[in-house]
Amino acid sequence: MDNIIIIALVLLIVIPAGAYVYREKKKGKKCIGCPRGGKCTTGDCQSCSIYNRAE
């Protein structure tokens, strides 16, 4: 019974998140979750300085 509850909780999180990403991609957004709101200078979120920091 515990396994069913855990699976249901995971699905309750994963399915809406996947649907959100699908809807946003369908609208044409390239940078979903970009910390700059998709307003990067080059238009490509991978080129934002936040992604290119040395860790």
Side-chain angles (χ1 to χ4, degrees):
M1 186 66 180
D2 292 340
N3 289 341
I4 294 172
I5 293 171
I6 292 171
I7 291 171
L9 287 174
V10 169
L11 290 176
L12 192 64
I13 295 169
V14 171
I15 290 174
Y20 172 74
V21 170
Y22 177 77
R23 281 192 315 268
E24 294 302 312
K25 285 291 187 180
K26 197 151 177 105
K27 289 179 188 177
K29 289 195 177 181
K30 294 180 183 177
C31 301
I32 299 171
C34 180
R36 296 183 184 197
K39 294 181 175 75
C40 301
T41 55
T42 62
D44 178 21
C45 285
Q46 295 303 318
S47 65
C48 286
S49 61
I50 195 165
Y51 290 108
N52 294 326
R53 281 192 243 167
E55 311 248 350

